[in-house]
Amino acid sequence: MNEGKPAQGPASPFGDAGGGYEPDRSAAARSDAASSEGDFELRRPEDVAEGTVSTAPASAEESGSVPAAGVASDAPPAAEKPLHDPDPYSTPPYGEPGPWAPAPPVQHPAATPANGTGIPAATPANGTGIPAPAPQHGMPTPTPVAPVPGAPPPTHGTDPSGPAPTAAPPGTPTPAHTPPTPDTPPSTNPWHRYDPWAAAAARPGAAPTPAPLQQTGAAVLTQEQRHRRGMKVLLVGMVLVALVSGGVGGAVGAYLERNGGVGEVELPQAGKEPAGRAVDSVAGIAARALPSVVTLHVSGADAGGTGTGFVLDDRGHILTNNHVVEPAGDDGEITVTFHSGDTAKAEVVGRDGGYDLAVVRVRGVSGLEPLPLGNSDNVQVGDPVVAIGAPFDLAGTVTSGIISAKERPITAGGESGDGSDVSYVDALQTDAPINPGNSGGPLLDAQARVIGINSAIRSADSGSDLDGGQAGSIGLGFAIPVNQGKRVAEELISTGKATHPVIGVTLDMNYTGDGARVGTKGNDGGPPVTRNGPGDKAGIEAGDVITEVDGQRIHSGEELIVKTRAHRPGDRLKLTVVRDGKERTISLVLGSSDGD
């Protein structure tokens, strides 16, 4: 405790808010108090020069309190005796704030009602005002107002920052509510308008309570307001993106239109794939068969032509059509061109006009790959087929189709006029495109095996045509069954000639009725039925009409020849014969003939 600096006592209940002294007593009382051990009263501090500012009013009239009667206010002060030694650290409340100064009391800011009038701090139950906090250095000390005994606490609506209200004398009626002074400016201290611990009192006619405040002081948005704001932001963003995209697109489009692109044009393309294909595909069949297919160029004294053939064995035998090599005659020339491009001269081994088949041979050629032969009896209508040839001298042309029909009787040739060049074929019909130049080429099945030899086409303008005309394919192609071609080829290689199965009768080719009628005389003027021939032995007579062969109906003489040549010599046939309006069935064994 510093000497010369009196301590500040508690507030007087009789109007002294901060005097730090007791009311005047009698001289005897003061003398007794001064002489009591360790107990004395301090006088009111009067030294203003030492830095202590009195907070009590100058007179009793100003403070509103009346001193007790009989107490002299100008009595000499008693001798001051300290209760303990001076504090070297000037610890409060007797000295300056030191290192152990206690924290100031918590001050709750007054709440501000809706009308803006500050609410003073609450008054304790005993009616004693809360002492004002100690002033800070350099700040003026506010003058407290002592509460009047019996007076009600100040009402809400009084601004703490304004002038303190004057206590009313006892007995003076206090109004229930004191309206705020109109000319009192509101306090600028936010703590006088905001009370986080107390809500503003709701009163009739008061303005509605504002929305809760954020840290920035702005009102908190509701969920619907946030949703609307988000939608607005999204809409604005979409519009901006659309505008920017449109502008960029327009600029790029204008640039490309003026400059013709951004660089060299490179079109999309598939990458490289393996060259192999399925063995039963058209590509797979062609890959296996093409090395065995050849193109024949024939030249003779009076004519020439182009056709196709295929390798039969590794000795150089090649099978083709008779009408392909016929222009060469006895002194013509035949040149064979292989798939590799190599060429070789060929000679005729044998040929047969009735079957329209021929075999030629090349010599001095190695590495030949024979084409495997299938079985034409296993072919069914609808089976897929592939045709290979050189239509219009376009070597290695591959076409595909199906088997359209079986056992189709056709005749070809006949340009000589005597019928010696007419061929009778029980053919396989296909829709695979066959054109002039395909003659003699193979007709393959799905296993790349030969099932037929392409021989004739039906043209729209000239009927049947083997190869002489320039008519194109209309989807009607005909091939010799390989079973027949194999037998004929074997005979031609072995003997140079082919044998034909015969019945031993001469037919009337001018007959227009249904079936094949036996003529009345032979080609050489002899009898129409050969003596001791198959027909004679079976009982066939002149004028008989044959209507069926092995149960299949025939309608002309050409069909009877075709059905007969589809068999081998020595095969047995059953024939249905009509004589004098009566049918009879006969059986015979086919004979053999070296010529037509």
Side-chain angles (χ1 to χ4, degrees):
M1 176 177 180
N2 295 338
E3 288 191 43
K5 290 187 180 181
Q8 185 175 355
S12 172
F14 300 100
D16 193 354
Y21 59 88
E22 293 291 333
D24 293 338
R25 303 178 181 176
S26 61
R30 290 195 301 272
S31 177
D32 295 340
S35 61
S36 62
E37 184 179 358
D39 229 355
F40 62 91
E41 295 292 334
L42 299 179
R43 65 181 177 84
R44 178 172 179 168
E46 297 178 354
D47 189 4
V48 182
E50 294 184 6
T52 303
V53 181
S54 176
T55 59
S59 60
E61 291 79 3
E62 294 177 358
S63 61
S65 61
V66 179
V71 179
S73 60
D74 53 355
E80 298 181 0
K81 180 181 179 181
L83 296 179
H84 50 76
D85 295 337
D87 184 8
Y89 301 103
S90 301
T91 304
Y94 304 105
E96 296 296 331
W100 299 285
V106 177
Q107 301 184 15
H108 297 282
T112 304
N115 57 8
T117 305
I119 300 176
T123 303
N126 56 7
T128 305
I130 299 175
Q136 300 180 358
H137 293 286
M139 297 295 293
T141 303
T143 303
V145 179
V148 179
T155 60
H156 295 287
T158 306
D159 188 357
S161 63
T166 304
T172 304
T174 303
H177 173 71
T178 302
T181 306
D183 55 354
T184 303
S187 173
T188 58
N189 189 351
W191 291 99
H192 291 172
R193 300 190 308 272
Y194 175 70
D195 184 7
W197 295 276
R203 294 175 300 181
T209 304
L213 301 179
Q214 302 181 15
Q215 294 181 355
T216 59
V220 178
L221 299 178
T222 63
Q223 183 175 1
E224 182 179 359
Q225 291 174 337
R226 290 195 300 270
H227 177 70
R228 291 180 179 178
R229 175 174 292 182
M231 292 300 294
K232 292 179 180 179
V233 172
L234 180 61
L235 181 60
V236 172
M238 292 175 63
V239 172
L240 292 177
V241 170
L243 292 176
V244 172
S245 302
V248 173
V252 173
Y255 175 81
L256 295 178
E257 183 179 1
R258 287 194 299 265
N259 298 276
V262 295
E264 296 182 358
V265 176
E266 183 176 355
L267 300 177
Q269 184 181 19
K272 188 176 181 180
E273 297 179 353
R277 294 292 185 270
V279 293
D280 58 347
S281 65
V282 175
I285 296 170
R288 287 186 289 171
L290 280 171
S292 302
V293 179
V294 300
T295 302
L296 287 81
H297 295 88
V298 180
S299 61
D302 298 328
T306 302
T308 308
F310 58 91
V311 178
L312 289 175
D313 54 30
D314 56 0
R315 295 183 297 173
H317 291 106
I318 297 171
L319 182 62
T320 184
N321 283 137
N322 176 66
H323 71 267
V324 172
V325 299
E326 187 178 15
D330 296 333
D331 55 357
E333 185 177 280
I334 301 173
T335 303
V336 176
T337 303
F338 295 91
H339 183 65
S340 61
D342 298 333
T343 60
K345 298 296 182 180
E347 60 183 10
V348 177
V349 175
R351 62 190 181 92
D352 186 274
Y355 291 113
D356 194 24
L357 291 173
V359 173
V360 299
R361 183 178 183 181
V362 294
R363 299 181 183 276
V365 179
S366 61
L368 297 177
E369 298 181 18
L371 201 58
L373 305 180
N375 190 334
S376 56
D377 290 340
N378 298 332
V379 175
Q380 299 296 325
V381 175
D383 286 348
V385 292
V386 173
I388 301 179
F392 303 101
D393 203 16
L394 299 173
T397 298
V398 178
T399 58
S400 64
I402 62 170
I403 295 295
S404 303
K406 294 175 58 177
E407 300 178 355
R408 185 74 76 188
I410 64 169
T411 59
E415 285 82 2
S416 63
D418 57 0
S420 60
D421 60 344
V422 177
S423 60
Y424 301 91
V425 180
D426 196 20
L428 297 174
Q429 180 180 333
T430 179
D431 66 347
I434 297 176
N435 294 284
N438 278 100
S439 295
L443 185 68
L444 308 170
D445 63 5
Q447 283 73 40
R449 299 174 301 193
V450 180
I451 58 173
I453 301 97
N454 301 321
S455 297
I457 61 174
R458 177 76 62 171
S459 300
D461 56 349
S462 61
S464 178
D465 188 8
L466 288 178
D467 193 44
Q470 296 298 312
S473 172
I474 59 173
L476 294 174
F478 303 95
I480 301 171
V482 72
N483 290 6
Q484 184 177 356
K486 175 179 179 295
R487 180 184 68 84
V488 173
E490 290 172 348
E491 292 180 352
L492 292 176
I493 293 173
S494 300
T495 66
K497 294 181 180 181
T499 61
H500 299 169
V502 295
I503 297 176
V505 298
T506 302
L507 299 176
D508 182 5
M509 304 304 292
N510 296 321
Y511 178 69
T512 58
D514 192 21
R517 188 176 69 176
V518 179
T520 58
K521 61 179 180 179
N523 293 331
D524 56 358
V529 178
T530 305
R531 289 182 181 183
N532 296 322
D536 186 29
K537 294 178 180 180
I540 298 176
E541 298 179 0
D544 289 347
V545 177
I546 303 174
T547 58
E548 292 182 3
V549 176
D550 289 339
Q552 293 184 352
R553 192 78 179 179
I554 61 173
H555 305 281
S556 64
E558 289 83 357
E559 288 190 24
L560 179 60
I561 298 174
V562 168
K563 295 299 181 183
T564 302
R565 290 191 178 183
H567 293 79
R568 293 173 178 266
D571 291 346
R572 181 172 292 277
L573 295 181
K574 285 185 178 182
L575 303 177
T576 300
V577 179
V578 177
R579 181 186 301 165
D580 299 330
K582 295 180 180 180
E583 289 185 355
R584 54 181 300 189
T585 301
I586 62 175
S587 178
L588 56 84
V589 176
L590 294 174
S592 177
S593 172
D594 294 338
D596 294 332

